[in-house]
Amino acid sequence: MPHAFAKSGYVVGTVGTLVIGFLCSYCIHVLLDSCYELCKRRKVPSLTYTGAAVAALSEGPAWCKACAPYAAHVVNAFLLIYQIGACCVYVVFVSENIQYVLTKHFELEVTVIQVMTYILIPLVMINWVRDLKYLAPLSAIANAVTFVSFGIIMYYIFREAPSLEGKHPAGKIRDFPLFFGTVLFALEAIGVILPLENEMKNPKSFVGTFGVLNRGMVSIIILYVGMGLFGYLQYGEAAAGSITLNLPSQTEILASVVQCLLAFAIFITHALVCYVAIDILWKEYVGVRLLNSNHRFLWEYMLRTVIVLVTFGLAAAVPELDLFISLFGALCLSALGLVFPAFIRICTYWYYVSDSERIRMIIKNAIVVVFGVLGLVVGTWTSLEGIIVKFSAHSVVLNSTDAGQSLANTTSSIML
């Protein structure tokens, strides 16, 4: 969040986070309301995100009904890309923090790619856990570690009073898509909303003016605005893709401890996030074709391993935390969090409202769709452009290093 504010400025960042947070909350309410209506019509207790998309398109205009059979695959594709992208972010986060501690505190010469290689086998093994109940104790530990680490990070932010000196109220327009993608990645959790609401003892308490959803979202938005604003005012343009990389781990052991603790917490969370991707692929596409196979469990473990290797490969190819966060936030969450819920709402009530109400509904939700599509296209393009530039610069540095080494070896040989 401080890095996102460095792209937008402290005024635009604060207002922008509030607006994006409001849009995310609105679209979650829209999705839940549509699901309630579809469940009543179909007389079913609950619907998944993909189920809601299929049901809504089946009751929409004629051209939407023709697209209904493909809706589940489209939603699943975006969910898969997002979950795998989040896993890539986690791999980079863990590796960068461990590498930072090793190089700054212990003065060891090690690269981020090398650290990724070291944690690859443990990542594969933790993702071999097939039952979430065995990950629950580790998840509880990770939550406690994150809470303590957050307090320590706040101590470093306010140890010296944050200042407006040298900070910009507004950033460059071309950097705003990076801010948009990052904030959306941080705030949006549309994939877990319906499962969470479906598992509640009293689902009605989830919505409402002072329901669980609104209280949770308000708390999160305030927390993220505070972290982004004061983190930026403290570290300015030097704010890294993760604020942990701004902590003085070279001189203070407490900062190194925080980085290691959060790396551990996110390492555990990788298995939880990857579980969603595995669940979709296995239950919807792979497992159903292997019901009679004698090696079904073996195939499942192979799938789990392949997904981890994919996240590792993507993270190793472009180990840039900030660009990964912005890319997957803009690419997937613009669609899942903004565009799809608004579109589901339109289809759900298409034949169940008056003409005037339909027009108002279309205009209101079309604004959200346009905003989401713009964020998806521009944010994805900007993030990919940044990745290409970083990758090109990295390749140039490597080639220059190799050329310099070759020249040095040749010179030494001639001298000898």
Side-chain angles (χ1 to χ4, degrees):
M1 288 302 296
H3 182 77
F5 272 61
K7 297 293 184 183
S8 64
Y10 56 85
V11 173
V12 175
T14 301
V15 175
T17 304
L18 293 173
V19 171
I20 294 171
F22 171 79
L23 277 176
C24 290
S25 303
Y26 168 77
C27 288
I28 292 173
H29 278 286
V30 162
L31 180 62
L32 288 171
D33 178 72
S34 300
C35 284
Y36 293 155
E37 183 64 24
L38 292 168
C39 285
K40 284 192 293 184
R41 293 179 197 169
R42 293 173 177 256
K43 297 181 180 180
V44 294
S46 63
L47 284 171
T48 62
Y49 197 151
T50 53
V54 173
L57 265 67
S58 299
E59 301 193 11
W63 64 271
C64 288
K65 292 178 181 178
C67 299
Y70 310 102
H73 301 301
V74 173
V75 173
N76 280 337
F78 276 97
L79 283 171
L80 276 173
I81 294 171
Y82 166 61
Q83 298 298 153
I84 291 175
C87 290
C88 294
V89 170
Y90 290 178
V91 171
V92 177
F93 179 90
V94 173
S95 303
E96 281 194 348
N97 278 275
I98 294 176
Q99 187 259 354
Y100 197 81
V101 171
L102 292 177
T103 55
K104 298 296 184 180
H105 189 76
F106 294 99
E107 298 182 353
L108 298 176
E109 292 295 329
V110 62
T111 65
V112 174
I113 306 297
Q114 288 175 321
V115 176
M116 287 183 188
T117 306
Y118 299 152
I119 68 172
L120 176 59
I121 299 300
L123 272 180
V124 171
M125 294 180 68
I126 197 172
N127 278 280
W128 278 355
V129 178
R130 299 175 63 245
D131 197 327
L132 279 178
K133 69 180 181 181
Y134 296 116
L135 293 174
L138 293 177
S139 178
I141 295 172
N143 287 336
V145 166
T146 302
F147 182 77
V148 172
S149 300
F150 177 77
I152 298 173
I153 290 171
M154 296 301 291
Y155 158 74
Y156 278 110
I157 288 178
F158 291 103
R159 185 169 61 173
E160 296 179 5
S163 171
L164 289 173
E165 185 178 355
K167 315 304 189 301
H168 305 289
K172 299 176 182 177
I173 295 178
R174 69 168 183 264
D175 290 334
F176 186 81
L178 297 174
F179 163 81
F180 173 80
T182 302
V183 175
L184 204 57
F185 187 93
L187 285 175
E188 190 61 84
I190 194 73
V192 301
I193 291 298
L194 289 178
L196 178 63
E197 189 267 346
N198 291 337
E199 292 297 324
M200 290 183 65
K201 290 182 178 180
N202 184 14
K204 291 183 179 179
S205 65
F206 194 70
V207 294
T209 306
F210 299 102
V212 173
L213 175 60
N214 284 350
R215 282 182 286 150
M217 287 301 293
V218 168
S219 301
I220 291 170
I221 292 168
I222 292 173
L223 181 66
Y224 281 14
V225 168
M227 176 62 75
L229 175 62
F230 293 111
Y232 170 59
L233 295 182
Q234 180 61 255
Y235 298 110
E237 299 299 319
S242 168
I243 195 172
T244 55
L245 301 179
N246 289 112
L247 304 183
S249 59
Q250 186 172 3
T251 56
E252 299 188 26
I253 185 100
L254 183 61
S256 298
V257 169
V258 171
Q259 290 167 334
C260 291
L261 287 176
L262 280 175
F264 168 74
I266 298 301
F267 173 84
I268 294 171
T269 311
H270 183 283
L272 297 173
V273 175
C274 208
Y275 188 92
V276 179
I278 294 168
D279 195 55
I280 293 172
L281 282 174
W282 182 250
K283 291 184 177 180
E284 300 288 337
Y285 301 101
V286 180
V288 293
R289 291 172 171 79
L290 298 169
L291 293 175
N292 298 321
S293 174
N294 294 327
H295 305 288
R296 198 165 185 269
F297 286 146
L298 179 62
W299 282 109
E300 182 179 349
Y301 282 111
M302 287 182 63
L303 175 66
R304 291 173 177 273
T305 304
V306 167
I307 292 177
V308 175
L309 291 176
V310 168
T311 64
F312 168 81
L314 290 172
V318 190
E320 297 293 337
L321 187 63
D322 55 329
L323 293 175
F324 256 135
I325 291 174
S326 178
L327 172 63
F328 290 108
L331 175 62
C332 301
L333 294 176
S334 292
L336 291 170
L338 301 178
V339 177
F340 292 169
F343 198 72
I344 287 172
R345 174 62 171 260
I346 293 173
C347 291
T348 300
Y349 289 98
W350 185 264
Y351 291 112
Y352 294 87
V353 295
S354 63
D355 291 341
S356 59
E357 289 176 331
R358 185 185 300 124
I359 292 173
R360 286 197 299 270
M361 177 182 69
I362 291 173
I363 292 174
K364 184 166 59 175
N365 288 283
I367 293 172
V368 177
V369 170
V370 170
F371 186 82
V373 170
L374 282 175
L376 188 155
V377 174
V378 179
T380 301
W381 175 264
T382 305
S383 300
L384 285 174
E385 186 180 42
I387 288 173
I388 292 171
V389 170
K390 288 271 187 177
F391 187 78
S392 301
H394 183 63
S395 299
V396 169
V397 170
L398 288 178
N399 292 334
S400 301
T401 303
D402 292 340
Q405 186 63 43
S406 300
L407 180 61
N409 292 338
T410 304
T411 305
S412 300
S413 299
I414 291 173
M415 292 178 67
L416 287 173

